[in-house]
């Protein structure tokens, strides 16, 4: 069963940091695109970052560039389990939202920029980030 589970959200003061995790299981994500999205109440979903898991190439939204960093732990990839992290520094009230990770089907994209044009099929349930 394909599953994505996010964790690490919470409430912090502006300027502080949080590290979100997205655990993908039930499928091999090595050749997939994984994206982080966020959605604030009453607003449209916003893309935060796209990454091609195979090589870690990542494209960030301008709103988070230089503050957010995506990394991954592939230690268990052979066991069909991958963890991706979103390190969020210098948080602002405008970063308050529900954060989701999503994965595409296997693809030969090769870059975060290509992933940004890809279709995301699998979604997690989200984790709330509140910055005051």
């Amino acid at each position: 069963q394909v599953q994505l589970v996010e964790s690490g959200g919470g409430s912090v003061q502006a300027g502080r940091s949080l590290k979100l995790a997205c655990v993908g299981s039930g499928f091999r994500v090595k050749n997939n695109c994984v994206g982080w999205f966020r959605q604030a109440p009453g607003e449209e979903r916003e893309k935060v970052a796209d990454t091609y898991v195979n090589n870690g190439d990542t494209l960030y939204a301008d709103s988070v560039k230089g503050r957010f960093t995506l990394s991954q732990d592939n230690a268990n990839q052979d066991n069909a389990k991958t963890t991706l992290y979103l390190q969020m520094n210098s948080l602002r009230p405008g970063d308050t939202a529900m954060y989701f990770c999503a994965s595409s089907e296997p693809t030969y994209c090769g870059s975060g920029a290509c992933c940004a044009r890809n279709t995301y099929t699998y979604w997690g349930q989200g984790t709330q980030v509140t910055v005051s």
Side-chain angles (χ1 to χ4, degrees), residues 19 41 58 91 125 129:
K19 188 174 185 177
T58 303
L91 283 164
Q125 83 291 347
V129 172

Side-chain angles (χ1 to χ4, degrees), residues 73-85:
D73 176 5
N74 297 327
N76 292 315
Q77 214 174 74
D78 289 340
N79 294 324
K81 192 169 184 178
T82 296
T83 302
L84 290 101
Y85 300 98

Side-chain angles (χ1 to χ4, degrees), residues 4-9 18-24 36 71 82-88 99-101 125-127:
L4 292 169
V5 179
E6 304 94 336
S7 62
L18 279 175
K19 188 174 185 177
L20 307 184
C22 171
V23 179
W36 279 97
S71 61
T82 296
T83 302
L84 290 101
Y85 300 98
L86 185 68
Q87 177 68 46
M88 305 186 298
Y99 283 71
F100 302 87
C101 66
Q125 83 291 347
T127 185

Side-chain angles (χ1 to χ4, degrees), residues 34-61:
V34 172
W36 279 97
F37 298 78
R38 65 186 182 186
Q39 187 166 20
E43 298 190 12
E44 292 188 359
R45 187 173 61 198
E46 177 189 12
K47 176 79 67 69
V48 174
D50 300 272
T51 190
Y52 188 59
V53 176
N54 192 305
N55 59 18
D57 189 79
T58 303
L59 180 69
Y60 297 95

Side-chain angles (χ1 to χ4, degrees), residues 1 6 27 29 61 69 71 74 96 103 125 129 132:
Q1 180 181 357
E6 304 94 336
F27 63 119
V29 298
T69 303
S71 61
N74 297 327
T96 295
S103 176
Q125 83 291 347
V129 172
S132 60

